[in-house]
Amino acid sequence: MTIQFFTPRGPGNEVLKLPSSLRKTVKWLPQIGDLFPDFAVETTQGTLRFWDWAEGSWVHLFSHPAAFTPVCTTEIASLASYSRSWTACGIKNLALTASSITEQQAWHAEIEDMFDVKVDFPCACDHGMRLARIFGMVHEKESSEWPIRKSFLIDPAQRIRMIFEYPVFVGRNTDEVLRVAKALQLRDRTGAATPADWYDGDIAIISDNRPEADVIREFGVGSTQLRPYLRVVGQCP
């Protein structure tokens, strides 16, 4: 991966001068649409090679600070409690943290006992946060010891489709990850866009000029032209 140098510029394309401590040099800045790199890692379910394991599925790859920490405990429990929803959407979860496999397994046993859930997805040991640094999961000004709570949604073609970043002490929202995954899958199936605050089954947006007959064939109902620039359709498949 090539090294990229970022020179900040103002509205008139002028170079903005920053203190040297604020200048960034990175090997890779993950962006939506990027092909996610392959890697091998030890997990609570054995050695995993990412591309082979992920083949044919969507993946929610996420970082969290450490085992036996309070916010992470609630996150793992929440993700585990949605097991049927992940399966229904064809999504695999993969956690990434620097805690050892032994620590994570003991911690998961406590989570399962406390929350009456089954942690059925692999959780990887990222020694020295090596992968977390490559994937932009370590933000030094937030914490130099722990990764932030970063999530990638990766499609079956291994392309990044969503990136979420949460601070260390704010837990992520499981419903939001699933909401966005369903919106992306709707987009892939139908070409529809989704409005603000959309949930599965809500009206969608027809953002192109397809014929009405195509809309009816795709969605089973006709569209409504609210404004020249806003066309919506209900009863999404």
Side-chain angles (χ1 to χ4, degrees):
M1 295 180 182
T2 59
I3 295 178
Q4 302 172 15
F5 296 93
F6 297 93
T7 303
R9 295 182 178 273
N13 204 38
E14 72 276 14
V15 174
L16 301 179
K17 295 182 179 180
L18 291 176
S20 59
S21 62
L22 297 181
R23 296 173 188 164
K24 298 291 184 183
T25 302
V26 298
K27 290 185 177 181
W28 179 45
L29 179 67
Q31 294 185 339
I32 291 172
D34 282 353
L35 179 68
F36 206 87
D38 196 15
F39 60 92
V41 70
E42 293 297 320
T43 81
T44 52
Q45 296 182 4
T47 303
L48 177 153
R49 180 160 289 281
F50 182 68
W51 283 2
D52 291 341
W53 171 80
E55 185 176 6
S57 297
W58 287 73
V59 174
H60 174 223
L61 171 63
F62 66 97
S63 58
H64 69 84
F68 296 109
T69 54
V71 179
C72 299
T73 296
T74 63
E75 283 194 327
I76 296 296
S78 176
L79 291 164
S81 73
Y82 281 75
S83 180
R84 291 183 180 178
S85 296
W86 300 117
T87 300
C89 291
I91 301 171
K92 294 181 176 181
N93 282 290
L94 175 60
L96 199 65
T97 188
S99 297
S100 71
I101 298 300
T102 300
E103 287 176 317
Q104 292 187 70
Q105 288 172 333
W107 177 47
H108 292 172
E110 292 191 3
I111 290 173
E112 291 176 350
D113 179 64
M114 187 170 12
F115 293 94
D116 192 25
V117 295
K118 176 67 176 176
V119 181
D120 58 359
F121 51 87
C123 298
C125 174
D126 180 21
H127 291 289
M129 300 191 295
R130 181 182 62 86
L131 290 173
R133 294 184 188 280
I134 293 172
F135 301 157
M137 294 169 164
V138 179
H139 292 193
E140 296 287 349
K141 292 182 175 60
E142 171 70 3
S143 174
S144 59
E145 299 178 358
W146 290 337
I148 62 165
R149 301 178 192 281
K150 186 164 187 170
S151 286
F152 294 105
L153 268 178
I154 302 166
D155 69 18
Q158 311 301 341
R159 297 283 176 183
I160 298 172
R161 301 292 297 277
M162 181 219 67
I163 303 172
F164 284 159
E165 294 185 340
Y166 293 78
V168 168
F169 293 102
V170 177
R172 57 174 53 84
N173 186 308
T174 304
D175 275 327
E176 176 63 3
V177 178
L178 280 164
R179 187 189 77 86
V180 174
K182 291 175 181 178
L184 290 169
Q185 291 173 354
L186 176 68
R187 174 69 179 176
D188 288 353
R189 289 196 309 271
T190 69
T194 48
D197 305 320
W198 176 90
Y199 277 91
D200 190 24
D202 290 350
I203 63 170
I205 295 172
I206 304 300
S207 55
D208 53 31
N209 295 319
R210 73 183 73 178
E212 186 67 4
D214 291 351
V215 174
I216 294 172
R217 183 167 54 252
E218 186 71 56
F219 293 91
V221 295
S223 66
T224 301
Q225 192 82 46
L226 299 176
R227 290 288 187 274
Y229 50 85
L230 183 56
R231 182 184 180 194
V232 299
V233 62
Q235 194 56 46
C236 300

